[in-house]
Amino acid sequence: MPELLTPVVDVLVQAPVLTVFLVIGLGTALGQIPFGPIRFGAAGALFVGLAVGALDPRLGANLGLLRSLGLGLFCYTVGVGAGNTFFRDLRRQLPLMSLCVVALVAAGLAGAGFSRLTGLTPATDAGAYAGALTSPVLDAAIEAAGNQEPAVGYALAYPVGVAVAILVVAVVVGRSWPARRDPRPASADGITATSVLLLTRVRLDQMEAFQRARIRISYLERDGVTRVAHPGEELLPGDKVVVVGAPQAVADAVQELGSGLDSCLAKDRTQVDYRRLTVSSLRVAGRTVGEVDMPGRFQGVATRVRRGDLDLLAREDLVLELGDRVLAVVPSDRLEEAADYFGDSERSIAQIDAFSVGVGMALGVLAGLVPVPLPGGITLRLGVAAGPLVVGMVLGRVGRTGPFVWGLPHAANTTIRQLGLLFFLAAIGLASGPDFAASAFSLTGVAVGALAALIVGVNAVVLLTGARWAGVSAPRAAGGLAGLVGQPAILAFALSRCDDERVEAGYATLFALAIVVKIIMVQVLVAV
């Protein structure tokens, strides 16, 4: 280290908080620089952490708590956000889960063969396997080896695994291939509304598109009087209605009911009015649209829900979350009453429920500590990553327990997730920097780097090829690869390139499963 840097390093050693935030700031700047077709995004904090940590081992000391806290917060918020989608699509996820197991075993065998050819020890191979797949199972490898040798392989393989996986995801995530088992979600096409003149008689509860929740019908004008259509309404020839749904579903409904109108019924707001109402009340959050009972409570209807950047059709089974903006269509004199019921307060949702987050995280960490004995004398612990993820997914599915709402406002979830990710990456980079610098440019470093690229490459080929053959979409497969590798930065990168709910669902599906398989595999690799 140059002498000019010694005073600077001494200051950074004495102020670890300053060091972490310096790494985060510089890493974020690095992550925005384009390298060909990609930007590393949040992963820039990892690479800057490696460079800064290499200056002095003391810079990465005593950051274990920060690393665990960041990883736990990230995994918990991913679980809460993706839980409902995961359990809803569980049967659709089974092919991806099977492919994950096959890919991890195949990559482990390929890596073991490569290590024998290049003279790498089994302990280094096991560490490189954990590092290339950026997995928190290094402790299992060290315990099985009885020494710190796996840590060197881990540090050398870690950045290679991140870089290779991001490159693969950049190529795959935006592609479109046949996905017969995994259709594009309706929310991806947006929501539209059209006024229709009826030419036929039809009961709404007997209309297939209405029964299957592909459309919602809000305004009804009959004999010059406008009101809100009710779920059991019988529509008559000459009626005018507003149909809401995905573009194709609306087009099909217009063809079935009659013909489109040039004018829009919603322009007349004297008798029926509409407004986006923010869900900030705990009596609404965590309940489905059907449980809110807009027709019975306000003689109205909810037609769509804005969540983050997505517009969702207000299906009866859609669980409302804090921060959702519900488009409510109600009689004009009931609009303020509806607003009071939903809360409709932006300030309220800026504050998170610390009780639910604290209890949820505590349950997740506790679940990660529970030892599960496996055949062969192996003990499995989910750890601070998979434990909060699994508990978060369960709580995300439950939604609420009595007065307690487990979900988080979308904006708060995204903010906590990003902070957790940056803390984790900065801490792991600073801690791994010295080992990485010591061996990165040696023959061992080159061999471990090639091994890491091989392990990620085999996983990618098996998982993505199998996913395409099984009819799984490219976004879900890319999210699955991020979950298999176990790197939060890869998920963040995938979401920056493709804002599709299937990406997060794929990540959440494979993350915990992959950790279980990797814990077993690193112990097998040490023994062979």
Side-chain angles (χ1 to χ4, degrees):
M1 179 179 64
E3 292 185 6
L4 290 175
L5 290 179
T6 300
V8 176
V9 171
D10 289 340
V11 172
L12 293 178
V13 169
Q14 296 173 14
V17 174
L18 170 63
T19 305
V20 169
F21 280 103
L22 180 64
V23 168
I24 289 174
L26 295 178
T28 301
L30 175 65
Q32 299 306 310
I33 299 174
F35 294 90
I38 70 169
R39 288 180 171 88
F40 285 109
L46 170 66
F47 299 123
V48 171
L50 288 169
V52 174
L55 296 175
D56 193 312
R58 295 176 297 168
L59 293 171
N62 303 318
L63 293 180
L65 177 60
L66 180 65
R67 181 178 63 189
S68 297
L69 176 63
L71 183 59
L73 284 173
F74 176 87
C75 292
Y76 179 74
T77 50
V78 168
V80 168
N84 198 43
T85 302
F86 168 78
F87 287 106
R88 185 188 68 200
D89 297 340
L90 184 58
R91 292 183 61 185
R92 191 178 296 165
Q93 311 270 29
L94 291 178
L96 207 59
M97 297 170 75
S98 302
L99 288 166
C100 171
V101 177
V102 174
L104 287 169
V105 173
L109 296 176
F114 181 87
S115 296
R116 290 198 173 188
L117 290 175
T118 55
L120 294 174
T121 65
T124 301
D125 176 33
Y129 182 85
L133 301 177
T134 62
S135 171
V137 302
L138 176 61
D139 290 342
I142 292 174
E143 184 176 343
N147 56 54
Q148 292 295 315
E149 194 174 344
V152 177
Y154 183 93
L156 293 169
Y158 196 104
V160 177
V162 173
V164 173
I166 286 179
L167 288 170
V168 174
V169 168
V171 173
V172 172
V173 70
R175 300 192 64 178
S176 177
W177 63 49
R180 63 185 183 280
R181 297 174 58 93
D182 193 13
R184 180 179 172 87
S187 60
D189 296 320
I191 304 295
T192 188
T194 299
S195 297
V196 182
L197 173 65
L198 265 76
L199 302 177
T200 183
R201 180 190 297 263
V202 62
R203 283 185 60 89
L204 284 183
D205 53 9
Q206 295 175 357
M207 187 178 177
E208 182 182 4
F210 192 83
Q211 287 179 329
R212 296 175 59 185
R214 297 181 65 231
I215 62 169
R216 305 285 280 178
I217 293 181
S218 54
Y219 283 76
L220 167 62
E221 181 185 311
R222 177 179 295 166
D223 299 329
V225 177
T226 303
R227 58 181 174 83
V228 179
H230 303 302
E233 194 85 52
E234 182 176 25
L235 303 179
L236 306 175
D239 285 349
K240 299 175 184 177
V241 297
V242 173
V243 181
V244 182
Q248 187 58 53
V250 170
D252 293 342
V254 171
Q255 186 174 9
E256 179 181 353
L257 294 174
S259 63
L261 290 172
D262 294 332
S263 60
C264 177
L265 295 182
K267 287 184 178 180
D268 182 2
R269 305 173 74 164
T270 55
Q271 297 169 305
V272 177
D273 206 350
Y274 66 91
R275 195 165 89 198
R276 292 272 191 182
L277 303 178
T278 301
V279 177
S280 62
S281 171
L282 295 181
R283 60 186 169 188
V284 175
R287 302 193 186 280
T288 64
V289 172
E291 290 172 339
V292 171
D293 189 19
M294 289 290 290
R297 198 180 298 273
F298 304 111
Q299 289 77 55
V301 62
T303 59
R304 61 182 88 180
V305 176
R306 184 77 172 174
R307 179 172 297 165
D309 293 332
L310 294 178
D311 244 349
L312 310 173
L313 190 66
R315 299 165 53 99
E316 293 293 299
D317 60 351
L318 178 66
V319 178
L320 297 176
E321 300 178 2
L322 288 169
D324 284 349
R325 301 186 65 205
V326 180
L327 185 62
V329 181
V330 297
S332 299
D333 58 354
R334 307 292 300 274
L335 185 57
E336 291 306 319
E337 182 184 351
D340 290 340
Y341 181 75
F342 279 87
D344 200 29
S345 170
E346 293 289 343
R347 185 177 64 179
S348 296
I349 62 171
Q351 303 173 355
I352 65 170
D353 184 352
F355 175 84
S356 65
V357 174
V359 171
M361 275 291 295
L363 291 173
V365 173
L366 184 62
L369 295 175
V370 176
V372 180
L374 298 176
I378 298 174
T379 300
L380 168 67
R381 286 183 175 84
L382 292 179
V384 75
L389 177 78
V390 171
V391 170
M393 289 167 62
V394 172
L395 295 180
R397 175 60 174 175
V398 171
R400 68 182 297 149
T401 304
F404 305 118
V405 178
W406 301 112
L408 287 167
H410 182 82
N413 186 301
T414 302
T415 301
I416 295 173
R417 183 186 307 185
Q418 183 74 358
L419 280 174
L421 171 62
L422 291 171
F423 284 145
F424 167 70
L425 293 175
I428 196 71
L430 288 167
S432 303
D435 290 333
F436 177 77
S439 304
F441 304 106
S442 65
L443 290 177
T444 299
V446 173
V448 172
L451 173 59
L454 173 66
I455 290 171
V456 175
V458 171
N459 275 293
V461 169
V462 173
L463 184 73
L464 299 177
T465 302
R468 181 167 183 173
W469 174 80
V472 176
S473 66
R476 192 181 300 272
L481 179 62
L484 181 152
V485 174
Q487 175 50 256
I490 303 171
L491 173 63
F493 174 80
L495 289 172
S496 71
R497 298 292 293 269
C498 179
D499 189 9
D500 188 317
E501 63 185 41
R502 293 174 294 183
V503 175
E504 280 192 351
Y507 182 93
T509 299
L510 298 192
F511 187 90
L513 173 64
I515 286 179
V516 174
V517 178
K518 284 184 277 189
I519 286 176
I520 298 172
M521 283 300 300
V522 294
Q523 297 181 68
V524 171
L525 292 174
V526 169
V528 297

